[in-house]
Amino acid sequence: MKIEVVTLFPRMISGALEYGVVGRAIERGLVTVGTEDPRAYALDAHRTVDDRPYGGGPGMVMKPEPLLAAIRAATARLPAGSLRICLSAQGEPFSERVARSLAALPGMLLVAGRYEGIDERVTELGIDRELSIGDYVLSGGELPALTVIDAVARLLPGALGDERSSEEDSFAQGLLDWPHYTRPEVFEGLCVPPVLLSGDHAGIGRWRLQRAVERTWRRRPDLIAGARLAPEAQRALNELLAAQAAAEENRGT
Ligand code: 4GO
């Protein structure tokens, strides 16, 4: 997959991508990430990339000419069928599902704005889709762009290595993750759940699914309501609800 990022701070992107799973995916050639700086297309003596908002008010807006020139230059390096995405708090919510759809593309362009945002006409002329990583305002689109790159790159075949598959990720099943433990067996008086030491792989699988379903039910009931649970997950949820009903019965409620 080929990725391009339009940003006034290219080293924020390149620096963050040197590490971990994504760094290795780039080393292995599974994904390439290039950057384009709109300032290179600012042709005045001061290399101006921002200007005052029409209608007044505080803050500045990214000027259309250098930004669109950068988008077009970066787009020219991407394969046909690539998607041009702008990161903004007004975008459609980013999710594991969206990440999976992006991972199937030959390429994508991510536009990271600064200041109060970009001139709306650039969105009209040069952007296919707006994404938001959550309901909060950031000072730039770089961290959201990096978030999208990380979530997508780790889904590319080979990124996690043979031993690990993103299909086993809890979110791939619409659930939160189960709790994890490593050595020592007793830490500050707290024990590892015995089933994890039992070697009973079917039992371990059931325990993990139960914990994942329980956590999701308690912390994110919205995910349960929206999910089409796998049969085993639905069974684990039914058992949890039955146990909860029985406990309430015993308390006399
Ligand atoms: C994206 C960009 C928040 C998000 C942003 C988000 N803030 N929630 N700020 O995904 C243009 C100027 C947008 C700063 C950028």
Side-chain angles (χ1 to χ4, degrees):
M1 175 174 215
K2 213 159 173 212
I3 300 176
E4 292 284 342
V5 185
V6 171
T7 169
L8 291 170
F9 301 111
R11 292 194 306 180
M12 257 186 94
I13 303 300
S14 55
L17 297 177
E18 288 176 18
Y19 304 94
V21 167
V22 180
R24 264 190 309 278
I26 292 169
E27 274 174 13
R28 289 174 181 154
L30 305 177
V31 58
T32 64
V33 184
T35 57
E36 193 66 65
D37 185 348
R39 205 174 290 281
Y41 300 87
L43 302 175
D44 64 315
H46 294 101
R47 315 234 95 185
T48 310
V49 292
D50 63 335
D51 205 344
R52 302 192 328 256
Y54 276 120
M60 300 292 270
V61 175
M62 286 187 85
K63 276 175 77 60
E65 304 91 335
L67 182 56
L68 192 59
I71 289 173
R72 286 180 171 149
T75 302
R77 295 195 291 268
L78 289 174
S82 299
L83 212 58
R84 298 165 303 172
I85 296 162
C86 181
L87 292 311
S88 97
Q90 287 70 49
E92 155 201 357
F94 183 62
S95 64
E96 191 66 30
R97 178 190 295 268
V98 172
R100 279 196 295 265
S101 76
L102 297 181
L105 294 172
M108 60 180 177
L109 172 76
L110 299 169
V111 177
R114 281 273 153 177
Y115 313 111
E116 300 306 309
I118 73 179
D119 188 298
E120 190 66 21
R121 293 164 294 184
V122 173
T123 312
E124 266 178 58
L125 294 168
I127 297 297
D128 304 309
R129 195 161 171 192
E130 272 183 88
L131 292 178
S132 165
I133 63 160
D135 289 337
Y136 37 81
V137 176
L138 298 168
S139 57
E142 285 80 8
L143 292 174
L146 286 166
T147 300
V148 170
I149 292 170
D150 190 295
V152 169
R154 65 183 294 290
L155 295 176
L156 299 175
L160 296 181
D162 310 321
E163 73 283 4
R164 213 150 43 108
S165 155
S166 62
E167 279 141 57
E168 288 161 27
D169 286 349
S170 57
F171 252 112
Q173 308 173 46
L175 295 171
L176 301 184
D177 208 357
W178 52 76
H180 300 280
Y181 298 87
T182 185
R183 294 187 295 179
E185 214 173 295
V186 183
F187 178 65
E188 304 239 336
L190 301 179
C191 299
V192 173
V195 65
L196 298 180
L197 312 172
S198 68
D200 171 8
H201 295 295
I204 291 168
R206 281 193 301 273
W207 181 88
R208 285 179 168 163
L209 186 59
Q210 281 165 358
R211 294 291 79 77
V213 166
E214 181 175 358
R215 275 183 159 185
T216 310
W217 175 253
R218 294 191 196 292
R219 299 180 186 186
R220 294 291 306 279
D222 58 306
L223 292 180
I224 299 271
R228 291 213 339 267
L229 292 180
E232 319 84 72
Q234 186 61 58
R235 200 173 318 126
L237 177 60
N238 293 343
E239 282 167 21
L240 174 71
L241 296 177
Q244 209 163 306
E248 276 174 30
E249 190 69 34
N250 284 338
R251 284 201 305 274
T253 53

